[in-house]
Amino acid sequence: MAHRIALVPGDGIGNEVLPEGVRLLDHLAAQTDGLAFEYTHLDWGAERYLRDGVSLPEGAIEWLQSDIDAIFLGALGDPRVKGQQHARDILLGMRFKLDLYVNFRPITLLDARKCPLKNKGPEDVDIVVFRENTEGVYTGIGGQFKRGTPDEVAIEAEMNTRKGVERIIRAAFEYAEEHGRKSVCMSDKANAMRHGHDLWQRAFKEVASEYPAIENFHLYVDVLAMELVRAPERFEVIVTNNLFGDIITDLGAQIQGGIGLAGSGNIHPGKVSLFEPVHGSAPDIAGQGKANPLATFLSAGMMLTFLGHPELETRIQNAVQQTLLADEVTPELGGTLTTSQVTDRVLARL
Ligand code: ATP
């Protein structure tokens, strides 16, 4: 049976990297008995939003839930759209309404030369971050009072629910157990945020006690930021809230060699989930064939594992790694190849 994939190239370089990701999927399907994909192409993004005001179309969520196995997304963001309303509607809309509570972001160094840290190699940088993806400060709860006056007040509330905190922590421990990872680090700011992050502390202790074979430890997020730079080898699995996860994984993207190499999954185990490169639409290089497609390939790999083909993800990772080591890369990594030439090299290695 074919895997039903919704394709959302989105904006800017999303339109360049996603088609390369589809080439990769088609290449694997042609090589693998019984592997097939059925695509639905979606025009969600700035162009359509500017044309007819539609961001996430009506009925889209129900359709994704009933007819689609995975969503493969390029990037959303366009300088012509004030406040990036369309991107928020589409991406946050899917994250919240499909309840994609796991933001799964590996920080894996594939090529030691790409790491900005001194004397660190692939054996030191192999971390998986579980970022909570449906709560925190991203719910928009809060308000402004006396806006634009000297007495202005602005309140941004961070929402933490017992259910939400517990399930992301459990997902991190489950992953550690299934993948032979020895420790889980939880990071918060409980010394300053004494209500919400006290909930994180208690939930972490309780869930951790169900996994006695896995070491658990806690770091305040400021200490985590320092430690990730000083000694990334300390970490195997990290679990944290939505905001801190956003920041820490961008730090991680640099440690692994740049944003062009960072893939991600937005996952609800067992339900339709979304896979995308971490980078944005990069309007500065859009349309020039300079976009690095490797983050998209690594995201495709995560999608294939989610769809039940972990051996294909391993093959993609190996092909990406060999392509990096051969310096067959786009200009931001010091190479001279175009987006589709990099794809050619990866496909040849597959
Ligand atoms: P957003 O606000 O949508 O997250 P942004 O434009 O602020 O995105 P990104 O697009 O993620 O930020 O990236 C910042 C810069 O990094 C880009 O302007 C671009 O120069 C570079 N960049 C990002 N992704 C890639 C890529 N895949 N290949 C090459 N360069 C990239």
Side-chain angles (χ1 to χ4, degrees):
M1 216 176 69
H3 297 297
R4 301 163 303 172
I5 311 290
L7 298 174
V8 184
D11 306 325
I13 62 168
N15 290 292
E16 297 167 62
V17 293
L18 200 75
E20 305 297 328
V22 173
R23 270 180 73 198
L24 176 98
L25 294 176
D26 287 341
H27 185 86
L28 288 168
Q31 286 183 340
T32 314
D33 270 351
L35 181 69
F37 301 102
E38 183 187 304
Y39 303 116
T40 305
H41 296 262
L42 301 169
D43 64 350
W44 303 350
E47 253 345 295
R48 172 150 181 205
Y49 181 70
L50 290 168
R51 196 172 64 237
D52 59 20
V54 173
S55 49
L56 189 63
E58 196 142 338
I61 294 295
E62 295 71 19
W63 171 75
L64 289 167
Q65 285 167 328
S66 61
D67 285 22
I68 293 297
D69 299 315
I71 304 153
F72 194 22
L73 187 136
L76 288 162
D78 188 303
R80 294 172 300 170
V81 181
K82 232 177 96 192
Q84 304 304 319
Q85 186 59 42
H86 72 298
R88 278 215 302 277
D89 287 354
I90 297 169
L91 200 54
L92 292 185
M94 286 194 284
R95 281 183 185 168
F96 289 141
K97 292 176 186 158
L98 295 173
D99 202 23
L100 305 175
Y101 66 91
V102 176
N103 195 325
F104 178 83
R105 293 211 194 172
I107 303 172
T108 312
L109 178 62
L110 297 174
D111 176 357
R113 299 168 304 166
K114 301 285 183 295
C115 183
L117 306 179
K118 204 162 51 179
N119 303 327
K120 300 293 179 193
E123 64 286 0
D124 300 307
V125 183
D126 185 11
I127 306 164
V128 176
V129 179
F130 282 77
R131 166 188 173 188
E132 202 294 317
N133 212 27
T134 53
E135 305 192 339
V137 295
Y138 289 75
T139 57
I141 298 173
Q144 295 182 335
F145 182 52
K146 299 187 181 178
R147 188 168 190 273
T149 75
D151 296 327
E152 177 163 358
V153 179
I155 294 177
E156 202 80 55
E158 191 193 65
M159 187 180 92
N160 298 278
T161 69
R162 174 73 202 202
K163 173 184 152 190
V165 172
E166 192 176 315
R167 67 183 179 176
I168 188 71
I169 292 174
R170 193 175 299 284
F173 277 99
E174 283 291 313
Y175 178 88
E177 192 169 72
E178 277 166 29
H179 293 83
R181 301 219 168 203
K182 293 184 193 65
S183 71
V184 174
C185 170
M186 190 277 277
S187 189
D188 64 19
K189 190 69 186 159
N191 49 352
M193 303 175 77
R194 292 185 297 119
H195 307 298
H197 294 193
D198 171 64
L199 170 55
W200 276 81
Q201 296 267 327
R202 285 181 286 117
F204 184 60
K205 282 203 185 78
E206 286 174 31
V207 175
S209 71
E210 297 170 28
Y211 299 85
I214 297 166
E215 185 199 336
N216 66 82
F217 63 105
H218 165 262
L219 292 178
Y220 293 126
V221 70
D222 44 339
V223 180
L224 174 64
M226 290 196 289
E227 286 298 283
L228 272 173
V229 171
R230 190 188 68 82
E233 64 278 8
R234 277 189 74 186
F235 302 97
E236 295 186 48
V237 176
I238 295 170
V239 59
T240 189
N241 66 48
N242 208 339
L243 179 63
F244 297 164
D246 185 22
I247 299 166
I248 284 301
T249 53
D250 269 15
L251 193 159
Q254 290 307 319
I255 294 177
Q256 75 185 114
I259 202 143
L261 295 174
S264 74
N266 296 259
I267 300 170
H268 188 123
K271 295 193 179 170
V272 59
S273 295
L274 184 157
F275 299 83
E276 55 168 344
V278 166
H279 63 73
S281 58
D284 54 328
I285 57 161
Q288 300 168 35
K290 290 182 183 165
N292 181 354
L294 296 178
T296 302
F297 298 161
L298 294 170
S299 308
M302 291 174 205
M303 181 167 77
L304 289 168
T305 291
F306 170 80
L307 294 171
H309 310 284
E311 71 290 350
L312 296 179
E313 179 175 22
T314 306
R315 283 179 57 204
I316 293 174
Q317 286 167 342
N318 289 339
V320 166
Q321 183 170 36
Q322 287 162 23
T323 306
L324 275 172
L325 292 172
D327 292 320
E328 293 173 352
V329 290
T330 40
E332 103 286 2
L333 289 179
T336 54
L337 300 189
T338 64
T339 309
S340 60
Q341 286 171 335
V342 172
T343 310
D344 296 339
R345 307 300 163 95
V346 172
L347 297 193
R349 293 193 165 88
L350 278 170

